[in-house]
Structures are given as C-alpha cells and as structure tokens.
Amino acid sequence: GINAEYGVPLPQGWKPEDLKVYVTWEFTLSDKTTKGQTKWYKGGINPELAELFRVDIGDRTARSFARAIKRGALKATLWYDRGFLKKPGDLGTGTVKCTD
C-alpha cells in the first residue's frame, strides 16, 4: 500500500493547509503494468494515505518469477489540485525497484 509522502516541496505561493493531493502509481512486473490512484487528500503536504491496492503478480511458482521480480518497479507520482478548470500539477515522482 501507499502510506505517506514526505519532504515534497510546495508549489510557489501555496500553503500546506490549502493543498489537495493524490497519488497515482504504476507497478511494472515483466511485461505487465498495473496502474491505480488514491483518493484526494486535503490539508497538508505530508498526508497519511492509508490505502491498499491488490496487484496480480501471476504464477509465483514459475522459475521466471524471481527474475521478473528483480526487474519490477513501483513508480508513484504525487499530484496537487491547481484550481478550477486546470489540470493537476505534478509535485514529485519516485521509483522503487524490487529486490530479493
């Protein structure tokens, strides 16, 4: 699950209490990519995101599974609401590689 985002710089002219954010995520495992997003959170730059997501990883008993896990990665992007009739702005992106 995605729990929290810390140390993200605020957009110029914004206060933490005015910020409304959400996280999109993308998990790539071998040739499959699973995507999703959290709900909107208001009132701070370090929201506690208590959301869980289920990702289909295929057959864990296959020999190729261990290799696929080592190549897999989770990419998360933090977005903020810029206002009425404006697309959300990107606050930051992070990637976590899977290992043994």
Side-chain angles (χ1 to χ4, degrees):
I2 297 174
N3 292 324
E5 297 285 335
Y6 296 107
V8 178
L10 282 170
Q12 190 169 1
W14 286 77
K15 293 183 269 184
E17 58 271 9
D18 297 334
L19 212 56
K20 189 174 172 185
V21 298
Y22 74 98
V23 175
T24 59
W25 58 271
E26 184 176 301
F27 183 68
T28 303
L29 184 61
S30 199
D31 60 347
K32 275 196 305 191
T33 299
T34 305
K35 298 179 182 184
Q37 75 179 44
T38 66
K39 61 183 180 177
W40 285 94
Y41 289 88
K42 185 168 172 57
I45 191 67
N46 298 325
E48 292 291 325
L49 310 175
E51 295 191 36
L52 296 175
F53 302 95
R54 193 172 285 276
V55 176
D56 180 25
I57 57 173
D59 183 13
R60 293 184 301 167
T61 60
R63 272 192 235 168
S64 61
F65 179 73
R67 285 190 306 270
I69 285 293
K70 289 178 185 176
R71 287 187 232 132
L74 172 71
K75 177 182 171 187
T77 304
L78 182 65
W79 300 91
Y80 73 102
D81 184 19
R82 297 184 333 153
F84 186 65
L85 294 178
K86 292 184 180 177
K87 291 180 7 180
D90 180 354
L91 278 176
T93 301
T95 301
V96 178
K97 298 282 282 172
C98 298
T99 60
D100 292 359

